[in-house]
Amino acid sequence: METASSAVIVAIDGPSGTGKSSTSKAVAAKLGLSYLDTGAQYRAITWWMLTNGIDVDSPAEIATAAAKPVIISGTDPTGPTITVDGEDASGPIRTQEVTSKVSAVSAVPEVRTIITELQRSIAAGAVGGIVVEGRDIGTTVLPDADLKIFLTASPEARAARRSGEVKGSDLAATREALIKRDAADSGRKTSPLAKADDAVEVDTTELTLQQVIECVVTLVEEKRTAA
Protein backbone atom coordinates (compact mmCIF):
# COMPACT_ATOMS: atom_id res chain seq x y z
CA MET A 1 0.00 0.00 0.00
CA GLU A 2 1.35 3.41 -0.94
CA THR A 3 1.74 5.96 1.82
CA ALA A 4 0.85 9.58 1.11
CA SER A 5 4.49 10.58 1.46
CA SER A 6 5.56 8.29 -1.38
CA ALA A 7 2.93 9.59 -3.81
CA VAL A 8 4.81 10.83 -6.84
CA ILE A 9 3.75 12.63 -10.02
CA VAL A 10 5.91 11.68 -13.01
CA ALA A 11 5.73 13.62 -16.30
CA ILE A 12 7.08 11.81 -19.37
CA ASP A 13 7.26 13.89 -22.54
CA GLY A 14 8.70 13.39 -25.99
CA PRO A 15 7.79 12.93 -29.65
CA SER A 16 6.16 9.85 -31.23
CA GLY A 17 8.18 6.65 -31.52
CA THR A 18 10.46 7.20 -28.53
CA GLY A 19 8.85 4.39 -26.54
CA LYS A 20 6.89 6.82 -24.40
CA SER A 21 3.63 4.86 -24.04
CA SER A 22 5.23 1.45 -23.50
CA THR A 23 7.67 2.91 -20.98
CA SER A 24 5.06 4.94 -19.09
CA LYS A 25 2.63 2.02 -18.77
CA ALA A 26 5.33 -0.41 -17.65
CA VAL A 27 6.81 2.01 -15.10
CA ALA A 28 3.38 2.80 -13.64
CA ALA A 29 2.48 -0.90 -13.42
CA LYS A 30 5.82 -1.78 -11.80
CA LEU A 31 5.58 0.97 -9.18
CA GLY A 32 1.85 0.71 -8.46
CA LEU A 33 1.04 4.12 -9.93
CA SER A 34 -1.87 5.32 -12.03
CA TYR A 35 -1.22 6.05 -15.73
CA LEU A 36 -2.55 8.66 -18.14
CA ASP A 37 -1.98 8.79 -21.89
CA THR A 38 -2.74 12.43 -22.71
CA GLY A 39 -2.21 11.87 -26.43
CA ALA A 40 -5.18 9.49 -26.39
CA GLN A 41 -7.34 12.33 -25.07
CA TYR A 42 -6.36 14.58 -27.98
CA ARG A 43 -6.96 11.70 -30.36
CA ALA A 44 -10.37 11.14 -28.73
CA ILE A 45 -11.50 14.73 -29.22
CA THR A 46 -10.19 14.61 -32.81
CA TRP A 47 -12.11 11.39 -33.49
CA TRP A 48 -15.27 12.96 -32.02
CA MET A 49 -14.85 16.00 -34.29
CA LEU A 50 -14.39 13.81 -37.38
CA THR A 51 -17.40 11.59 -36.59
CA ASN A 52 -19.64 14.57 -35.80
CA GLY A 53 -18.99 16.44 -39.02
CA ILE A 54 -16.86 19.23 -37.55
CA ASP A 55 -14.54 20.83 -40.11
CA VAL A 56 -11.15 19.99 -38.59
CA ASP A 57 -9.48 22.45 -40.93
CA SER A 58 -11.42 25.27 -39.26
CA PRO A 59 -9.99 26.36 -35.88
CA ALA A 60 -13.18 28.37 -35.27
CA GLU A 61 -15.43 25.31 -35.71
CA ILE A 62 -13.12 23.20 -33.54
CA ALA A 63 -13.10 25.87 -30.81
CA THR A 64 -16.91 26.09 -30.79
CA ALA A 65 -17.32 22.31 -30.45
CA ALA A 66 -14.42 21.65 -28.06
CA ALA A 67 -16.48 21.49 -24.86
CA LYS A 68 -19.14 19.14 -26.21
CA PRO A 69 -17.62 15.62 -25.99
CA VAL A 70 -17.35 13.92 -22.59
CA ILE A 71 -13.98 12.16 -22.44
CA ILE A 72 -13.25 9.71 -19.62
CA SER A 73 -9.83 8.10 -19.20
CA GLY A 74 -9.30 4.94 -17.17
CA THR A 75 -5.93 5.11 -15.39
CA ASP A 76 -5.08 1.43 -14.78
CA PRO A 77 -1.69 0.96 -16.52
CA THR A 78 -2.40 -2.72 -17.22
CA GLY A 79 -5.59 -1.85 -19.10
CA PRO A 80 -6.01 1.86 -19.80
CA THR A 81 -9.39 2.79 -21.26
CA ILE A 82 -10.87 5.83 -22.97
CA THR A 83 -14.50 6.57 -23.70
CA VAL A 84 -16.14 9.46 -25.55
CA ASP A 85 -19.78 10.13 -24.63
CA GLY A 86 -19.85 6.66 -23.09
CA GLU A 87 -18.52 4.88 -26.20
CA ASP A 88 -15.26 2.92 -26.16
CA ALA A 89 -12.86 4.89 -28.35
CA SER A 90 -9.62 2.96 -27.79
CA GLY A 91 -9.70 1.41 -31.28
CA PRO A 92 -11.11 4.23 -33.44
CA ILE A 93 -8.66 6.85 -32.12
CA ARG A 94 -5.69 4.93 -33.58
CA THR A 95 -6.76 5.19 -37.23
CA GLN A 96 -4.62 6.95 -39.83
CA GLU A 97 -7.35 9.56 -40.31
CA VAL A 98 -7.17 10.59 -36.65
CA THR A 99 -3.36 10.47 -36.66
CA SER A 100 -3.22 12.85 -39.62
CA LYS A 101 -5.59 15.39 -38.04
CA VAL A 102 -4.70 15.30 -34.32
CA SER A 103 -1.94 17.95 -34.52
CA ALA A 104 -4.29 20.47 -36.13
CA VAL A 105 -7.08 19.85 -33.61
CA SER A 106 -4.77 19.87 -30.58
CA ALA A 107 -3.19 23.16 -31.68
CA VAL A 108 -6.48 25.00 -31.09
CA PRO A 109 -6.15 26.88 -27.74
CA GLU A 110 -9.72 26.10 -26.62
CA VAL A 111 -9.07 22.38 -27.06
CA ARG A 112 -5.84 22.56 -25.09
CA THR A 113 -7.48 24.49 -22.25
CA ILE A 114 -10.26 21.92 -21.85
CA ILE A 115 -8.00 18.87 -22.12
CA THR A 116 -5.32 20.39 -19.86
CA GLU A 117 -7.90 20.99 -17.10
CA LEU A 118 -9.11 17.41 -17.50
CA GLN A 119 -5.52 16.12 -17.20
CA ARG A 120 -4.81 18.19 -14.10
CA SER A 121 -7.95 16.96 -12.36
CA ILE A 122 -7.04 13.32 -13.11
CA ALA A 123 -3.49 13.82 -11.80
CA ALA A 124 -4.76 15.58 -8.66
CA GLY A 125 -7.14 12.72 -7.92
CA ALA A 126 -4.63 9.91 -8.39
CA VAL A 127 -4.07 8.23 -5.02
CA GLY A 128 -0.45 7.11 -4.57
CA GLY A 129 0.79 8.95 -7.65
CA ILE A 130 0.61 8.84 -11.43
CA VAL A 131 2.72 8.63 -14.57
CA VAL A 132 1.43 11.14 -17.13
CA GLU A 133 2.77 10.94 -20.69
CA GLY A 134 2.43 13.49 -23.46
CA ARG A 135 4.13 16.40 -25.16
CA ASP A 136 3.63 19.34 -22.79
CA ILE A 137 3.21 17.70 -19.39
CA GLY A 138 6.41 18.93 -17.73
CA THR A 139 6.16 22.40 -19.28
CA THR A 140 2.43 23.23 -19.19
CA VAL A 141 0.12 20.60 -17.70
CA LEU A 142 2.05 19.65 -14.55
CA PRO A 143 4.96 22.11 -14.22
CA ASP A 144 5.31 21.10 -10.54
CA ALA A 145 5.62 17.36 -11.27
CA ASP A 146 8.00 15.57 -8.89
CA LEU A 147 9.97 14.10 -11.77
CA LYS A 148 10.11 15.17 -15.42
CA ILE A 149 11.56 12.94 -18.10
CA PHE A 150 12.00 13.80 -21.78
CA LEU A 151 12.47 10.82 -24.12
CA THR A 152 14.24 11.30 -27.44
CA ALA A 153 15.45 9.04 -30.26
CA SER A 154 16.75 9.47 -33.79
CA PRO A 155 14.10 9.87 -36.52
CA GLU A 156 15.30 6.57 -38.04
CA ALA A 157 14.85 4.63 -34.78
CA ARG A 158 11.46 6.19 -34.16
CA ALA A 159 10.25 5.44 -37.70
CA ALA A 160 11.39 1.81 -37.40
CA ARG A 161 9.46 1.41 -34.13
CA ARG A 162 6.36 3.10 -35.48
CA SER A 163 6.47 1.00 -38.69
CA GLY A 164 6.69 -2.10 -36.53
CA GLU A 165 3.50 -1.03 -34.75
CA VAL A 166 1.58 -0.23 -37.95
CA LYS A 167 1.38 -3.29 -40.19
CA GLY A 168 2.38 -2.74 -43.81
CA SER A 169 3.56 0.83 -43.32
CA ASP A 170 6.36 2.29 -45.39
CA LEU A 171 9.49 3.19 -43.39
CA ALA A 172 10.43 6.31 -45.39
CA ALA A 173 6.84 7.58 -45.36
CA THR A 174 6.60 6.92 -41.61
CA ARG A 175 9.82 8.84 -40.99
CA GLU A 176 8.50 11.73 -43.10
CA ALA A 177 5.21 11.76 -41.19
CA LEU A 178 7.00 11.76 -37.83
CA ILE A 179 9.21 14.70 -38.81
CA LYS A 180 6.14 16.59 -40.06
CA ARG A 181 4.29 15.87 -36.81
CA ASP A 182 7.31 17.03 -34.76
CA ALA A 183 7.39 20.32 -36.65
CA ALA A 184 3.65 20.86 -36.12
CA ASP A 185 3.81 19.99 -32.40
CA SER A 186 7.00 21.96 -31.70
CA GLY A 187 5.89 24.98 -33.72
CA ARG A 188 2.39 25.52 -32.37
CA LYS A 189 1.81 28.66 -30.29
CA THR A 190 -0.10 26.99 -27.46
CA SER A 191 1.87 24.51 -25.32
CA PRO A 192 4.37 23.31 -27.92
CA LEU A 193 6.29 20.05 -27.62
CA ALA A 194 9.32 21.10 -25.59
CA LYS A 195 11.71 19.78 -22.98
CA ALA A 196 11.25 21.35 -19.54
CA ASP A 197 14.40 23.00 -18.14
CA ASP A 198 14.42 20.62 -15.17
CA ALA A 199 13.64 17.45 -17.16
CA VAL A 200 15.99 14.47 -17.35
CA GLU A 201 16.63 13.65 -21.01
CA VAL A 202 16.83 9.97 -21.94
CA ASP A 203 17.94 9.11 -25.49
CA THR A 204 16.32 5.76 -26.32
CA THR A 205 17.90 5.29 -29.78
CA GLU A 206 20.36 2.59 -28.67
CA LEU A 207 18.36 1.26 -25.74
CA THR A 208 15.96 -1.67 -25.57
CA LEU A 209 12.51 -0.96 -24.12
CA GLN A 210 13.49 -2.92 -20.99
CA GLN A 211 16.56 -0.71 -20.49
CA VAL A 212 14.48 2.45 -20.83
CA ILE A 213 11.93 1.13 -18.31
CA GLU A 214 14.70 0.24 -15.83
CA CYS A 215 16.27 3.67 -16.26
CA VAL A 216 12.98 5.48 -15.55
CA VAL A 217 12.06 3.20 -12.61
CA THR A 218 15.45 4.00 -11.06
CA LEU A 219 14.87 7.74 -11.51
CA VAL A 220 11.43 7.51 -9.87
CA GLU A 221 12.73 5.44 -6.98
CA GLU A 222 15.58 7.90 -6.40
CA LYS A 223 13.04 10.74 -6.35
CA ARG A 224 10.85 8.90 -3.86
CA THR A 225 13.78 8.16 -1.60
CA ALA A 226 14.91 11.79 -1.69
CA ALA A 227 11.40 12.93 -0.81
Side-chain angles (χ1 to χ4, degrees):
M1 187 71 188
E2 298 295 332
T3 60
S5 62
S6 66
V8 62
I9 292 180
V10 183
I12 300 184
D13 290 304
S16 304
T18 52
K20 206 170 48 187
S21 293
S22 304
T23 299
S24 300
K25 275 187 279 202
V27 168
K30 202 164 186 176
L31 296 174
L33 302 172
S34 295
Y35 160 77
L36 178 61
D37 174 1
T38 64
Q41 295 176 317
Y42 284 108
R43 284 174 170 274
I45 200 167
T46 302
W47 173 68
W48 182 91
M49 300 263 174
L50 290 165
T51 52
N52 283 275
I54 307 299
D55 180 0
V56 294
D57 294 317
S58 166
E61 268 200 49
I62 292 170
T64 303
K68 292 180 181 175
V70 177
I71 297 169
I72 297 176
S73 298
T75 57
D76 177 353
T78 60
T81 57
I82 187 154
T83 63
V84 183
D85 294 343
E87 188 178 343
D88 176 16
S90 52
I93 64 172
R94 301 293 168 188
T95 62
Q96 190 51 50
E97 186 185 19
V98 171
T99 300
S100 67
K101 298 295 183 187
V102 68
S103 283
V105 172
S106 57
V108 176
E110 288 81 357
V111 169
R112 295 208 80 79
T113 298
I114 286 163
I115 301 289
T116 296
E117 285 309 313
L118 176 61
Q119 291 161 1
R120 285 177 179 155
S121 68
I122 292 169
V127 179
I130 190 167
V131 177
V132 184
E133 61 137 311
R135 284 169 165 73
D136 66 338
I137 311 306
T139 52
T140 303
V141 181
L142 301 168
D144 297 325
D146 299 299
L147 176 64
K148 300 175 189 178
I149 293 166
F150 194 84
L151 298 183
T152 64
S154 71
E156 289 72 24
R158 292 165 51 210
R161 289 170 190 162
R162 191 40 60 95
S163 288
E165 291 167 12
V166 185
K167 295 284 174 279
S169 59
D170 175 273
L171 192 61
T174 302
R175 181 178 181 276
E176 208 55 47
L178 284 175
I179 290 170
K180 195 173 169 186
R181 174 91 195 264
D182 290 351
D185 291 345
S186 304
R188 64 170 176 247
K189 287 193 176 75
T190 309
S191 304
L193 164 67
K195 179 188 165 194
D197 293 338
D198 53 349
V200 179
E201 186 167 322
V202 179
D203 187 335
T204 69
T205 305
E206 303 291 336
L207 302 176
T208 63
L209 176 59
Q210 203 49 49
Q211 287 171 320
V212 179
I213 293 165
E214 283 166 13
C215 171
V216 175
V217 164
T218 301
L219 288 167
V220 177
E221 287 177 334
E222 283 172 357
K223 183 59 73 174
R224 272 178 163 175
T225 306

